[in-house]
Amino acid sequence: RTDTDKTFTAWASDVLDSAVSREDKISSLFPGLKFVGNTSNGVVIQDKNEIIEIKITNSNFSCNKDKGICKHILFTCINPSFDP
């Protein structure tokens, strides 16, 4: 872009810092949760020693452990690895 004084290196550094900050914030908001991977119809996360499946059907999220909007669904939605 021509409307900025930042070099590419400074911009890239800012992007990496933001990504690390986001991961740190997610970890502090959801301690014990870990993103395992995407599936064909949702995601798998780990909650301490328990595997949790989040399924997505017609834009509706459901958790195999909790009813309604739970911490697992919120964690999934804000996780940068989530690929709907």
Side-chain angles (χ1 to χ4, degrees):
R1 293 178 53 174
T2 58
D3 60 345
T4 183
D5 292 329
K6 281 190 177 181
T7 64
F8 175 77
T9 304
W11 172 82
S13 179
D14 288 346
V15 169
L16 290 173
D17 286 342
S18 294
V20 170
S21 294
R22 181 176 180 173
E23 291 289 336
D24 289 345
K25 185 64 174 178
I26 291 171
S27 293
S28 71
L29 290 171
F30 300 96
L33 296 185
K34 178 184 173 192
F35 191 89
V36 176
N38 291 290
T39 65
S40 60
N41 62 346
V43 301
V44 175
I45 60 175
Q46 183 175 347
D47 186 351
K48 296 179 181 89
N49 293 326
E50 187 175 3
I51 298 297
I52 308 294
E53 293 181 65
I54 305 297
K55 295 196 189 271
I56 306 163
T57 309
N58 298 325
S59 299
N60 293 314
F61 289 72
S62 62
C63 175
N64 71 330
K65 181 177 180 180
D66 301 314
K67 301 283 185 210
I69 303 298
C70 63
K71 68 179 181 178
H72 304 112
I73 291 174
L74 294 174
F75 174 78
T76 297
C77 291
I78 65 170
N79 196 295
S81 298
F82 171 53
D83 185 14

